[in-house]
Amino acid sequence: MALTQRLEFRQSQSLVMTPQLMQAIKLLQLSNLDLASFVEDELERNPLLDRANENGEPPVPGELAPERAEFSDRDDAASGSGEDAGADGSDFSDRAAGDGFEASAEDWMQRDLGSRAEIEQTLDTGLDNVFSEEPAETAARTAQDAAPTAFTEWGGGSSNDDGYNLEAFVAAEITLGGHLAEQLAVAFTDPKQRLIGQYLVDLVDDAGYLPPDLGDATERLGASAEQVEAVVAVLQKFDPAGVCARNLSECLAIQLRDRDRYDPAMQALVEHLDLLAKRDIGALRRICGVDDEDLADMIGEIRHLDPKPGLKFGTARVQTVVPDVYVRPGPDGGWHVELNSETLPKVLVNQVYYSELSKTIRKDGDKAYFTDCLQNATWLVRALDQRARTILKVSTEIVRQQDGFFTQGVAHLRPLNLKAVADAIQMHESTVSRVTANKYMATNRGIFELKYFFTASIASADGGEAHSAEAVRHHIKQLIDGENPAIILSDDTIVEKLREAGIDIARRTVAKYREAMRIPSSVQRRRDKQSMLGNALTAPATTADRSRDTAPA
């Protein structure tokens, strides 16, 4: 066979990752705060971008209107199946005004820049290279469905490619409220006492103190003052020593009792801390009935106590979560899904400014610069519009799939994965993964991250429908919370009870879920509950002793 050279034409398709396509992929997974920061940078960098309605003026042509969708389960109820109905999107209605911008841009180009040939001559390139002839949704979806190009995109938790985020591997800091809540779970078996205790724990400030007056607590909880005092007495035995006190004197007294150093002389000193602050040593010596040497030792012990025991624990960082999507009950029994318009950046392309510049610019460098700015501004508006549409579409499908959760609670959370949502809305799994990263949904049951609704499936013991892993964890927690302190449930017993409820699960899986919820083993729970039960039984006597030994400060 002879080897010859020849020319051939071959037609092929390939995805070219341009810088704009890569930026579109990152825009999809940015949180609303990161997106707002990115748009602010673009507004400063691009002179052809303007912020819409900055001065409260009426919306100008081309502005993106808020998008919303509605999900109704009336047809599902009629057919007896809420899983298959509406899979083609017939139950959802997208009302978006993104097309208004496209029409406005077309009219502007035809009116001010002349024919297509003149436009291409002005831009010094083909019009197809600047404005794609295919719909914006198809172009953006092609960019979104591309495989992740950086390590951080697979995790979905970072918005840049600067490498490892070491803060993602830092263990969660234990707060005072969480530490007290863990002890509260084993200190009380009576649901009423546990309710009172949880309410009081929520009142504890960062220093570890309760409010001086608990009268409002008795009124809100409908409990008597004696019941609240009994619970407070148990809370004051919690670690760290001195927590849940109502004033400094009581805090120091609790720590001294813990060290077995609360004798009558020390009690008198603690009750007169105002004299100690004034350094009135003579008056303190007479009140305590001790000499100078003993008084100096007592003051030294007071100085070694911790006046703010709660500060040993880290304080929870309060970060306001702004939801990206609102889900509200609809008038027809379904669910109304709407984007939060406050988190959607509203930017417009200043077409008039570019039209004026195109008539006066003579230098090739200036012409190329403003052409690039126009292209970037147009792309950004389209990318933001497509991002909003994609978030709405994914959120609506999640609401449809998890209708049981919104109606009846976490126990009815269905197993769901990215592929199920991606197939339903005809998108790629990577797109759904990016959309659900750093996005939050406000529902009638609280604010949840979109990733919360994706859980693994646990097989059913009777061959029925699988159970969600989150629902199984909730069931395990309910079993442990309701167990009798005299009959602690082992992991094997929990497995048997779950199988009776139709959940087929292994013992090691129960242990893994229990440890993930920071619930101790059955041996540790038996020891803790029996110990705390003994303290609760002796609490009234301890309270009486405290009221006899101390006087109100």
Side-chain angles (χ1 to χ4, degrees), residues 33 173 175 206 314-321:
L33 295 179
E173 192 175 12
T175 63
D206 293 341
T315 57
R317 296 181 179 178
V318 180
Q319 295 182 350
T320 303
V321 175

Side-chain angles (χ1 to χ4, degrees), residues 395-504:
S395 301
T396 307
E397 180 61 23
I398 290 175
V399 173
R400 190 186 73 84
Q401 296 274 5
Q402 299 290 3
D403 179 71
F405 167 81
F406 296 98
T407 305
Q408 303 180 28
V410 67
H412 296 269
L413 191 67
R414 296 178 51 201
L416 185 65
N417 53 29
L418 297 174
K419 187 177 186 302
V421 175
D423 293 342
I425 62 178
Q426 298 181 353
M427 286 187 175
H428 197 271
E429 291 181 46
S430 61
T431 303
V432 179
S433 177
R434 294 185 180 101
V435 168
T436 55
N438 307 313
K439 311 295 187 306
Y440 293 87
M441 177 185 293
T443 70
N444 58 329
R445 301 190 178 275
I447 299 179
F448 300 90
E449 190 177 8
L450 293 185
K451 287 187 177 295
Y452 172 82
F453 299 99
F454 295 90
T455 60
S457 61
I458 304 297
S460 176
D462 52 5
E465 186 178 358
H467 302 271
S468 167
E470 187 67 27
V472 173
R473 280 194 288 266
H474 179 71
H475 198 161
I476 293 174
K477 189 175 187 304
Q478 284 185 327
L479 290 175
I480 294 177
D481 290 343
E483 65 185 358
N484 191 334
I487 308 176
I488 301 298
L489 300 178
S490 64
D491 290 345
D492 292 327
T493 306
I494 294 176
V495 170
E496 296 175 0
K497 289 184 175 295
L498 291 176
R499 286 179 178 172
E500 293 175 359
I503 302 174
D504 186 13

Side-chain angles (χ1 to χ4, degrees), residues 149 322 394 505 526:
T149 57
V322 180
V394 172
I505 190 172
R526 181 182 295 105

Side-chain angles (χ1 to χ4, degrees), residues 311-339:
L311 297 183
K312 295 179 180 179
F313 295 85
T315 57
R317 296 181 179 178
V318 180
Q319 295 182 350
T320 303
V321 175
V322 180
D324 299 88
V325 182
Y326 289 112
V327 178
R328 301 183 179 92
D332 56 352
W335 298 99
H336 181 74
V337 184
E338 181 181 359
L339 289 176

Side-chain angles (χ1 to χ4, degrees), residues 20 54 89 100 128 132 145 160 186-187 228 232 251 259 325 338 369 392-393 397 410 417 440 444 461 476 479 487 508:
Q20 288 187 345
E54 184 175 5
D128 294 337
S132 176
D145 289 347
N160 51 44
V186 296
V228 175
V232 170
C251 177
R259 299 185 180 190
V325 182
E338 181 181 359
Y369 169 74
L392 181 66
K393 187 177 296 185
E397 180 61 23
V410 67
N417 53 29
Y440 293 87
N444 58 329
I476 293 174
L479 290 175
I487 308 176
R508 63 179 180 274

Side-chain angles (χ1 to χ4, degrees), residues 150-210:
F151 167 77
T152 52
E153 292 186 18
W154 290 100
S158 177
S159 58
N160 51 44
D161 295 332
D162 295 333
Y164 258 8
N165 179 15
L166 295 179
E167 294 181 358
F169 300 92
V170 178
E173 192 175 12
I174 300 178
T175 63
L176 177 62
H179 184 63
L180 295 178
E182 291 178 357
Q183 301 176 73
L184 180 69
V186 296
F188 298 102
T189 56
D190 185 11
K192 187 172 183 179
Q193 288 183 326
R194 182 175 294 179
L195 177 63
I196 297 173
Q198 185 60 55
Y199 181 83
L200 295 177
V201 166
D202 293 338
L203 294 179
V204 176
D205 59 17
D206 293 341
Y209 285 86
L210 283 170

